[in-house]
């Protein structure tokens, strides 16, 4: 009995862990790790659609625009390359034949050269003839490789945008009305919006725009966000990172990202694109003083003070405001 009373006395004297303070409610969004908007460059016939109800691997083809036309243009390109290759090879063969004649001519004695008619019209070759021929052959071979590389590069630059692929592993949403049978061609004419949107579902976050400068100076890893859901459920996000983003109305805003646990990803995915409200909390620790706003406003000094800072300076000398919550103010000892 004595030991139990002593234990209760000891426990009552120990400092209790302070519960996180509710900073306030903020407009929030659920966002994935990455989002990619996938447009098609022109109107036409779309084929090779894929089943978007399942998770897709990076590189998976999700649509091909004007596939038959591309195949025809590829065939035309290959014919042009083959024709140019033959023409260049004919020129190279002629130069190589001329080179053999020069080599043979140079191997003859002066007396024997009088009976050689290979150079009767243009005159006998000089000491630089073989070098000139070799340079012309090398130039033609280089031109052939350059021509083929350029034509293939031009073709790929034109036709690569016709094939849409998953930029990363994740989920896909088509932004157009699909045919009942996705193996059938689709006549696409809606260039006013993106064809599809890819979502990297390797992580999901609750994002909050924190515009108060006082909050941005606090330790980020002590923040937590909570989104209430129907049925008493909730999404709880822990601080991950923050970054400056461009606001829709212009200007910059500081956005905090709170990562969600993996077992909530399905719920988070269903909430993408919708606005919600998140409760922002802050873990103040045990070396702080929590003061009720309602209690402070009942103090006689409240009528003479214009803001919380003045009131705290009068009612709690030796403390500074760490955080102003919805219902209470958190004070920390002033540095001596």
């Amino acid at each position: 009995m004595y030991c139990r009373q002593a234990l209760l006395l000891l426990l009552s004297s120990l400092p209790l862990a302070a519960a996180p303070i509710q900073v306030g409610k903020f407009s929030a969004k659920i966002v994935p790790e990455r989002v990619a908007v996938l447009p098609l460059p022109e109107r036409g016939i779309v084929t090779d659609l894929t089943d978007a109800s399942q998770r897709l691997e990076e590189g998976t083809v999700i649509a091909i625009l004007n596939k038959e036309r591309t195949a025809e243009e590829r065939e035309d390109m290959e014919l042009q390359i083959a024709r140019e290759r033959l023409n260049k090879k004919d020129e190279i063969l002629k130069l190589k034949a001329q080179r053999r004649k020069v080599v043979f001519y140079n191997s003859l004695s002066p007396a024997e050269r009088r009976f050689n008619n290979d150079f009767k019209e243009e005159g006998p070759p000089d000491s630089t003839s073989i070098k000139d021929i070799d340079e012309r052959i090398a130039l033609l071979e280089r031109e052939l490789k350059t021509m083929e590389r350029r034509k293939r590069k031009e073709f790929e630059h034109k036709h690569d945008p016709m094939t849409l692929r998953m930029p990363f592993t994740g989920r896909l949403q088509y932004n157009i009305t699909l045919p009942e049978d996705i193996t059938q061609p689709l006549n696409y004419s809606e260039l006013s919006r993106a064809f599809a949107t890819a979502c990297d579902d390797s992580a999901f976050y609750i994002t909050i725009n924190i515009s108060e400068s006082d909050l941005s100076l606090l330790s980020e890893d002590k923040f937590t966000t909570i989104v209430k859901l129907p049925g008493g459920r909730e999404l709880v996000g822990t601080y991950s990172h923050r970054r400056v983003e461009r606001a829709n109305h212009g200007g910059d805003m500081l956005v905090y990202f709170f990562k969600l646990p993996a077992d909530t990803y399905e719920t988070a995915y269903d909430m993408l694109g919708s606005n919600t409200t998140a409760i922002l909390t802050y873990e103040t620790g045990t070396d702080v003083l929590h003061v009720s706003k309602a209690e402070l406003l009942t103090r006689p000094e409240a009528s003479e003070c214009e803001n919380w800072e003045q009131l705290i300076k009068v009612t709690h000398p030796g403390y500074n405001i760490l955080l102003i919550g919805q219902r209470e103010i958190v004070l920390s000892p002033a540095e001596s």
Side-chain angles (χ1 to χ4, degrees):
M1 183 68 178
Y2 174 78
C3 291
R4 183 181 178 184
Q5 290 178 340
L7 179 59
L8 290 174
L9 179 61
L10 175 62
L11 290 175
S12 64
S13 63
L14 291 175
L16 298 176
I21 182 175
Q22 183 171 315
V23 177
K25 295 182 178 180
F26 293 78
S27 296
K29 289 185 178 180
I30 308 296
V31 301
E33 181 68 31
R34 287 177 292 176
V35 173
V37 177
L38 308 174
L40 283 174
E42 60 186 52
R43 297 178 175 88
I45 304 300
V46 178
T47 58
D48 295 73
L49 298 170
T50 191
D51 182 5
S53 64
Q54 58 187 348
R55 198 165 188 258
L56 302 176
E57 295 296 319
E58 180 181 350
T60 300
V61 174
I62 64 169
I64 299 179
L65 179 65
N66 297 326
K67 187 175 183 178
E68 291 186 4
R69 191 183 73 187
T70 298
E72 292 173 357
E73 292 185 6
R74 182 183 293 276
E75 185 176 359
D76 289 342
M77 177 198 66
E78 294 295 346
L79 287 174
Q80 291 177 17
I81 290 176
R83 190 179 298 110
E84 289 288 339
R85 188 184 295 122
L86 287 175
N87 291 337
K88 295 292 183 185
K89 285 186 176 181
D90 284 345
E91 293 183 51
I92 291 173
L93 288 175
K94 291 177 181 179
L95 287 171
K96 287 182 176 180
Q98 185 179 5
R99 188 182 192 281
R100 287 193 296 269
K101 291 179 182 180
V102 172
V103 171
F104 176 74
Y105 182 85
N106 290 339
S107 67
L108 298 176
S109 65
E112 292 172 327
R113 291 177 182 177
R114 289 183 299 171
F115 300 99
N116 185 281
N117 298 321
D118 289 337
F119 303 97
K120 190 173 182 180
E121 295 181 0
E122 64 267 30
D126 56 26
S127 59
T128 63
S129 296
I130 292 180
K131 180 182 177 182
D132 291 342
I133 293 174
D134 287 342
E135 288 179 350
R136 291 174 64 188
I137 291 174
L139 178 61
L140 286 171
E141 290 175 342
R142 190 161 65 247
E143 286 178 350
L144 179 60
K145 292 180 181 179
T146 301
M147 176 275 302
E148 185 170 349
R149 184 173 63 251
R150 186 185 69 253
K151 285 187 177 295
R152 294 192 185 282
K153 186 176 180 180
E154 290 173 352
F155 181 87
E156 297 302 330
H157 179 74
K158 177 181 178 181
H159 292 281
D160 269 358
M162 304 292 185
T163 300
L164 297 186
R165 295 180 175 85
M166 284 293 289
F168 36 68
T169 298
R171 309 196 194 194
L172 177 74
Q173 180 178 359
Y174 287 108
N175 300 332
I176 45 90
T177 302
L178 296 176
E180 293 185 5
D181 182 1
I182 61 173
T183 63
Q184 297 301 310
L186 167 68
N187 189 0
Y188 177 68
S189 59
E190 303 179 34
L191 287 180
S192 60
R193 57 176 174 167
F195 183 79
T197 302
C199 163
D200 181 353
D201 61 353
S202 61
F204 288 89
Y205 303 87
I206 301 172
T207 62
I208 295 177
N209 171 23
I210 296 184
S211 57
E212 292 87 347
S213 58
D214 291 341
L215 293 180
S216 65
L217 298 176
L218 298 176
S219 299
E220 300 97 335
D221 56 356
K222 293 184 179 181
F223 281 116
T224 302
T225 54
I226 303 171
V227 173
K228 298 292 185 179
L229 301 175
R233 298 177 302 130
E234 60 185 23
L235 295 176
V236 180
T238 56
Y239 176 80
S240 171
H241 60 281
R242 68 180 187 179
R243 66 171 179 241
V244 176
E245 294 186 351
R246 196 71 176 174
N248 293 332
H249 52 75
D252 296 330
M253 60 182 181
L254 184 61
V255 180
Y256 281 61
F257 288 73
F258 297 87
K259 191 172 184 178
L260 293 170
D263 59 359
T264 65
Y265 284 1
E266 288 301 322
T267 300
Y269 181 73
D270 292 338
M271 295 178 66
L272 290 181
S274 60
N275 294 321
T276 187
T277 300
I279 300 171
L280 182 65
T281 64
Y282 187 78
E283 185 179 344
T284 59
T286 58
D287 58 342
V288 294
L289 184 63
H290 293 246
V291 182
S292 167
K293 284 183 174 180
E295 189 275 332
L296 282 172
L297 291 175
T298 62
R299 302 284 289 268
E301 300 92 338
S303 61
E304 301 177 1
C305 297
E306 296 181 356
N307 51 49
W308 293 115
E309 286 77 9
Q310 291 183 6
L311 185 56
I312 292 299
K313 189 174 295 185
V314 175
T315 60
H316 295 78
Y319 283 89
N320 292 327
I321 294 178
L322 175 65
L323 180 63
I324 300 177
Q326 283 190 320
R327 296 181 179 84
E328 60 183 347
I329 298 176
V330 182
L331 308 179
S332 60
E335 296 181 0
S336 56

